Amino acid sequence: MNSFYNKSMKLLIFSFILALNFKHLAYSQTSNFENKISEPPLCSNNRGEKVYFKNLNSKTGRFTAGVAKRDINGLPIIYRFNYQKSSKALQLFIDFHECAHHQTGVLEKKPPKQNSFEYMMKESIADCLATIRIKSDKINGQFLIKEVLVELKKDMTIIGFSKSIIESREMNIKKCFKKNISLSTYIDDILNKRNLK
């Protein structure tokens, strides 16, 4: 039980880091050079509102990160931290992951507690949606997912996650890639479960 609790806490901490505005963490260890920041994808939330993207940079950051939220004017937005420090594949995955939070109405409900099962499920669902979208939107989706997994494993190892936590996330992404379901159907299923449709 203690081991499960520790693993769960590490996963929650990793998700929490990605979900919060930790500028000092926004730098990927996968390369020592700067990449071109990709154009953000199209994204609408569960209400049909356009989601905006904003690039932010921190010289002291270590990991690329994204944050989905509403800005001070109430507009849905995704903040993209230090995207120039990661590959196009990881940039895309993070964009799709954060977009998934908007698409599934996470921001319309009271946020789950950081140490809850609901919080972990929210992050797993966002990973799954990002994976399904890469599979359906991109011709070379399988190659992109392999690249994403390599970078995520490196970053999670540097942060200090156990092998089992890293493998669990990898297994979820691989399983989602094999799903035979459309993006819209998967989103509708989530919205129905959350009573948002």
Side-chain angles (χ1 to χ4, degrees):
M1 184 69 178
N2 225 2
S3 174
F4 175 76
Y5 177 77
N6 289 337
K7 289 176 185 176
S8 298
M9 287 306 296
K10 283 191 175 185
L11 181 60
L12 288 171
I13 291 166
F14 179 72
S15 300
F16 186 65
I17 287 168
L18 291 179
L20 292 179
N21 182 351
F22 283 155
K23 292 183 183 180
H24 66 279
L25 288 175
Y27 168 78
S28 174
Q29 292 290 316
T30 57
S31 63
N32 292 323
F33 58 90
E34 293 193 356
N35 295 284
K36 183 178 178 182
I37 297 176
S38 60
E39 286 294 315
L42 294 175
C43 181
S44 297
N45 69 5
N46 62 302
R47 296 179 175 183
E49 300 170 304
K50 179 181 177 181
V51 176
Y52 295 89
F53 291 79
K54 184 172 182 179
N55 295 321
L56 298 172
N57 187 26
S58 170
K59 292 179 181 177
T60 58
R62 296 186 62 205
F63 296 94
T64 295
V67 178
K69 62 187 306 183
R70 286 191 177 269
D71 67 11
I72 56 170
N73 299 312
L75 296 173
I77 193 165
I78 292 170
Y79 293 106
R80 308 164 96 207
F81 295 102
N82 285 5
Y83 270 43
Q84 75 280 5
K85 301 296 183 181
S86 66
S87 72
K88 183 179 177 182
L90 188 58
Q91 291 178 34
L92 187 66
F93 184 82
I94 293 172
D95 281 342
F96 286 170
H97 175 104
E98 298 305 327
C99 180
H101 288 316
H102 285 291
Q103 291 171 313
T104 57
V106 166
L107 304 177
E108 311 307 321
K109 296 179 98 43
K110 183 179 176 182
K113 292 181 181 179
Q114 297 296 327
N115 59 351
S116 68
F117 174 77
E118 289 78 15
Y119 185 88
M120 290 188 293
M121 283 304 300
K122 172 182 76 99
E123 293 303 322
S124 291
I125 288 167
D127 271 356
C128 202
L129 271 172
T131 303
I132 291 169
R133 189 164 176 189
I134 285 176
K135 179 183 177 180
S136 60
D137 284 9
K138 302 297 170 187
I139 295 170
N140 57 345
Q142 192 165 12
F143 174 79
L144 291 174
I145 284 296
K146 284 181 180 176
E147 193 173 343
V148 165
L149 289 172
V150 168
E151 290 195 60
L152 284 177
K153 285 200 281 191
K154 283 183 182 177
D155 289 348
M156 290 178 77
T157 300
I158 290 164
I159 291 170
F161 287 96
S162 68
K163 187 178 178 182
S164 61
I165 293 288
I166 295 168
E167 287 175 351
S168 176
R169 188 175 192 194
E170 180 182 19
M171 193 182 313
N172 178 54
I173 290 170
K174 285 180 176 178
K175 186 177 177 183
C176 290
F177 194 84
K178 292 178 182 177
K179 281 183 185 289
N180 187 19
I181 189 170
S182 72
L183 185 69
S184 59
T185 301
Y186 193 79
I187 291 170
D188 285 346
D189 288 349
I190 300 300
L191 290 174
N192 283 325
K193 286 175 184 173
R194 291 176 176 169
N195 297 316
L196 290 170
K197 191 147 178 90

